[in-house]
Amino acid sequence: NAGVTQTPKFQVLKTGQSMTLQCAQDMNHEYMSWYRQDPGMGLRLIHYSVGAGITDQGEVPNGYNVSRSTTEDFPLRLLSAAPSQTSVYFCASSRTRALSSGNTIYFGEGSWLTVV
Amino acid sequence: GNSVTQMEGPVTLSEEAFLTINCTYTATGYPSLFWYVQYPGEGLQLLLKATKADDKGSNKGFEATYRKETTSFHLEKGSVQVSDSAVYFCALTGTASKLTFGTGTRLQVTL
């Protein structure tokens, strides 16, 4: 009963390094998304995808890249890490994109990223 | 655009006390409203939801009623437990693919 699986759970990067946060779901969900959580700011949407081959930007997309080559996987790439990207990252998925109908969103356990 | 405003935390209560966490929203149309809970070191879990005006969501003793006239979705529980200590997020969906969160309210319940 894996649900949404994120790796790694913790990572320290140096400024300018690149890395990929992995996200996989085993529920055959169409919709996947990445959020970052910062103190006093709640969760903010970075990128989302409504199906394989389709991605779109959220509120705070700069500095991040995504792709959706399969239904199961939705990796988040930091191209050149900056201290401002120190945050907790959450991947989430939902059966369909129709979140406004009350579709449940399932979250991964989070990835704590520190950029020094 | 859409926005969610939650009461500032942290909220500290004694066990068995009554809990209210206020949440108000701004949105066009008819959003669905949610409360998510985040326990220490974990991801967010859906606590309850309401998809139309006057709906009441409930789960694990928590309740919230979708009040369109006051644009509110306050979270309540009649008797909190130490195990309820967590961060609670109010959220809404307006557009099809975006969930807008409040800043979160930390609840600490003591014996």
Side-chain angles (χ1 to χ4, degrees):
Chain A
N1 207 19
V4 180
T5 304
Q6 288 181 235
T7 56
K9 195 167 179 71
F10 300 98
Q11 182 73 49
V12 178
L13 284 179
K14 293 182 179 178
T15 298
Q17 284 186 316
S18 63
M19 78 156 296
T20 300
L21 298 176
Q22 302 291 344
C23 176
Q25 51 88 11
D26 61 357
M27 298 174 282
N28 202 31
H29 283 174
E30 288 185 352
Y31 177 87
M32 296 185 74
S33 55
W34 277 101
Y35 289 83
R36 58 177 289 172
Q37 182 181 23
D38 301 294
M41 304 190 75
L43 278 78
R44 293 180 291 168
L45 182 64
I46 304 172
H47 285 284
Y48 66 96
S49 167
V50 299
I54 306 169
T55 63
D56 207 345
Q57 296 182 348
E59 297 174 71
V60 288
N62 293 340
Y64 306 95
N65 217 350
V66 291
S67 60
R68 184 96 180 268
S69 55
T70 66
T71 300
E72 294 77 21
D73 300 300
F74 190 47
L76 178 72
R77 296 182 187 85
L78 281 70
L79 307 172
S80 177
S84 61
Q85 293 178 304
T86 295
S87 188
V88 184
Y89 291 85
F90 289 98
C91 181
S93 75
S94 179
R95 186 173 57 83
T96 75
R97 66 175 295 176
L99 304 184
S100 54
S101 68
N103 247 327
T104 298
I105 297 180
Y106 297 87
F107 284 83
E109 294 189 343
S111 296
W112 274 253
L113 176 66
T114 302
V115 183
V116 298
Chain B
N2 296 337
S3 67
V4 176
T5 302
Q6 288 182 237
M7 62 188 291
E8 293 284 333
V11 174
T12 303
L13 294 174
S14 298
E15 199 170 47
E16 299 184 1
F18 185 86
L19 168 71
T20 300
I21 299 178
N22 290 338
C23 171
T24 57
Y25 67 89
T26 302
T28 54
Y30 302 93
S32 292
L33 302 174
F34 305 82
W35 277 100
Y36 280 83
V37 58
Q38 184 180 30
Y39 298 103
E42 297 184 12
L44 279 73
Q45 303 172 25
L46 179 65
L47 181 60
L48 53 84
K49 66 183 180 184
T51 58
K52 61 182 187 297
D54 300 325
D55 266 3
K56 177 186 282 188
S58 61
N59 186 26
K60 299 182 181 179
F62 291 89
E63 292 183 340
T65 301
Y66 188 162
R67 302 285 188 202
K68 191 165 176 62
E69 64 275 13
T70 54
T71 61
S72 64
F73 193 55
H74 304 322
L75 183 68
E76 296 182 337
K77 187 175 185 182
S79 176
V80 294
Q81 306 300 312
V82 172
S83 57
D84 294 327
S85 298
V87 181
Y88 292 82
F89 291 90
C90 186
L92 67 83
T93 56
T95 59
S97 302
K98 185 167 179 277
L99 196 63
T100 300
F101 285 89
T103 55
T105 302
R106 182 175 299 279
L107 171 65
Q108 182 71 45
V109 181
T110 60
L111 290 171

